Amino acid sequence: DAKTTQPPSMDCAEGRAANLPCNHSTISGNEYVYWYRQIHSQGPQYIIHGLKNNETNEMASLIITEDRKSSTLILPHATLRDTAVYYCIVRVANRDDKIIFGKGTRLHILP
Amino acid sequence: EAGVAQSPRYKIIEKRQSVAFWCNPISGHATLYWYQQILGQGPKLLIQFQNNGVVDDSQLPKDRFSAERLKGVDSTLKIQPAKLEDSAVYLCASRRKGIGVDNEQFFGPGTRLTVL
């Protein structure tokens, strides 16, 4: 079973920041928080991951609470192309292990 | 760099028929995965290969599903005979060993199977 809890769906206005929450209260010390997204009719796509420090790349920012029990993925200026299912996953980094996906959050970007 | 290729993209068959899916991973990626994604759910691993050897097939329904990766490059997944509950998207992913973002799993577009 997935070790994370996410809201089933969220709406965000185009051009605004989309903040997607994730709870992972049972995360282990060596597990990272990963985010993937899946646009309709495509395979999942890696977005970002982090251990305990906040991370930013060209796609998004990841904010992890100090106790590591929750995190937030931030899309700073959401566009219609960001409409997708977003999966929050906890796993050990740099391993061949399978990814255990939950149901994710379906993000709708509204024009 | 070319992505993970899968074919066909769509397939419709009747129950009890056979079907095969093909995957060509990214060049140089030693690890290959097949996932099944039922509508409304996240992908679930069916089988994982390291080169041409099976690493994990614990969730593969072996009475009807089979997969091979004979030369350690491309792979085929077969269902024989198909059941209604096999209707799903079948995703192939690959990964190169090592550390870094470039070594995450990359997914293909999937094959959508409909069993009537």
Side-chain angles (χ1 to χ4, degrees):
Chain A
D1 291 339
K3 298 168 64 175
T4 63
T5 303
Q6 299 178 253
S9 67
M10 292 182 63
D11 292 339
C12 179
E14 189 177 18
R16 303 296 295 270
N19 297 282
L20 292 92
C22 179
N23 289 321
H24 31 80
S25 58
T26 61
I27 190 170
S28 300
N30 64 342
E31 288 181 319
Y32 285 65
V33 180
Y34 278 76
W35 285 83
Y36 283 76
R37 76 177 181 185
Q38 188 171 22
I39 294 171
H40 182 63
S41 294
Q42 296 184 23
Q45 174 193 23
Y46 165 84
I47 300 174
I48 197 168
H49 74 285
L51 183 64
K52 55 183 178 181
N53 297 321
N54 297 338
E55 301 287 346
T56 296
N57 63 20
E58 65 279 4
M59 292 182 67
S61 294
L62 173 60
I63 309 297
I64 303 173
T65 58
E66 191 168 347
D67 63 7
R68 303 213 319 126
K69 293 185 177 181
S70 65
S71 60
T72 302
L73 179 75
I74 301 173
L75 309 178
H77 304 287
T79 70
L80 295 177
R81 288 174 294 181
D82 292 321
T83 293
V85 177
Y86 288 77
Y87 298 99
C88 171
I89 297 152
V90 294
R91 60 196 298 260
V92 179
N94 305 315
R95 294 256 294 262
D96 283 335
D97 299 2
K98 65 187 177 187
I99 299 174
I100 300 175
F101 291 89
K103 293 187 176 181
T105 295
R106 185 171 296 276
L107 177 66
H108 297 100
I109 305 300
L110 307 175
Chain B
E1 180 180 66
V4 176
Q6 291 189 248
S7 68
R9 289 297 313 276
Y10 305 92
K11 189 74 175 178
I12 300 174
I13 62 172
E14 295 187 349
K15 60 183 179 183
R16 292 188 288 273
Q17 284 188 324
S18 302
V19 65
F21 313 127
W22 176 80
C23 171
N24 190 19
I26 294 173
S27 177
H29 283 200
T31 308
L32 185 147
Y33 313 78
W34 283 101
Y35 290 82
Q36 179 192 58
Q37 185 172 24
I38 293 172
L39 186 65
Q41 299 181 19
K44 182 186 76 172
L45 182 76
L46 289 174
I47 189 168
Q48 175 183 340
F49 291 93
Q50 179 71 28
N51 296 309
N52 61 350
V54 175
V55 174
D56 183 355
D57 63 356
S58 58
Q59 298 300 306
L60 188 73
K62 299 180 185 64
D63 57 333
R64 299 183 299 107
F65 285 65
S66 64
E68 60 183 14
R69 194 184 183 199
L70 292 176
K71 296 183 179 179
V73 181
D74 56 353
S75 175
T76 56
L77 176 69
K78 297 179 181 178
I79 308 175
Q80 181 180 5
K83 292 185 175 182
L84 297 177
E85 59 260 36
D86 298 332
S87 293
V89 175
Y90 291 85
L91 294 158
C92 180
S94 68
R95 179 179 182 272
R96 177 175 54 197
K97 273 195 174 299
I99 298 172
V101 171
D102 289 346
N103 299 103
E104 297 302 328
Q105 290 187 30
F106 288 86
F107 286 80
T111 296
R112 182 177 296 277
L113 173 68
T114 301
V115 182
L116 302 176

